[in-house]
Amino acid sequence: MPVNAVHDKVAGVNSVHAPENPDLVGIAEIAEIAGVRASAVANWRIRRADFPAPVAELRSGPVFSGPAVRKWLKRNRKEPMAHVISTINLKGGVGKTTVTVGIAEMLVHEHEQNVLVIDLDPQTNATVMLIEESRWRDLDEEGATVAQLFADALEEEPSARSFSLEQALQRDVGQVSNMTGLDLLPSSLRLIDVQDRLATMPLGKYFTYSPSAILETAVKHTLDEYDFVLIDCPPNLGLITLNGLRISDSFIIPTIPDVLSTYGIPQILHRVADFAAELNEPIEPLGIVINKFRAASVVHGNTLDQLESNSDYPGVFATVIPEGNAIAAGAENVERGTLRQRYAYQGGFEKFAALTDEIVEAVGTPV
């Protein structure tokens, strides 16, 4: 961090409790977050070379970046926090959103987890799967979608920004009766216009703003409400997707096992690895999800074999989602009595339940 930026943050600050500096924490605050004694934090600083360096040294003690400390605690399992997973494919039509919503609902229903779905795809498919279209239109008109969040980042004056996370967050969504614990941050078609302009956003007085950190700034204090956050990314590796990856611990690649749908996997892996290296934060590939699989297709069978045998790729999840209109229809926004009824056909319930079990095991979350 530039020296001037540090001085600007800590100037006149007598305590890290100062409400105008919510992202600065001291030893006592770190201990409180982690549920340990202050002496344990002091020990971590001595024994762990990767513990975040202080942004400033005051007479009262060192001051640290809150987000950096929380990420360190998360990596070291000192604080139970949401596991954030992005779903990515560079080709549309592979069922990425159906997989995202199916996993989210299974996490809530089968594992009793609190889950947030963040829809970053301008196609808004995840949004209209989880709330009624009329409700989405009202939210869009009110500026209560992620499109408004990104549009606000283009505004020079804070007074011109209108996004409210509380207004945008939709609680207990989905069309399954008596299922609670699934929330949604909805998307908008307006993202198409906004995303191309993000590179021109103002960088702030001390260059503290970043086009890839807009989402992180908005949701970082809300993530603790959830066990899992699933981010449905657009079919590209532009700035909107990078916003999702920036807060992600890992990502999955849903794909149809054919040439066109799998062609972009190397680009995804390389770009995410490069981005993670720049952030100096891990973003792990959890695996490839095979979707819309046709057992009778030679192409599908051969492509699946190639994916499983390619040592440069992450593993392929054992659960394969078959092709079928009934599974896709199960994810549509039509009210069902139970989740089993929602995915009643073609073994959809069992498939999504098994895939979710694999993901829970892959992230090592005890649920």
Side-chain angles (χ1 to χ4, degrees), residues 7 20 55 100 120-121 147 247 286 303 305:
H7 288 173
E20 65 271 20
V55 297
T100 303
L120 292 184
D121 194 334
I247 64 171
L286 279 187
T303 304
D305 290 342

Side-chain angles (χ1 to χ4, degrees), residues 54-69:
V55 297
E57 293 279 357
L58 304 181
R59 286 193 298 272
S60 57
V63 177
F64 301 84
S65 162
V69 167

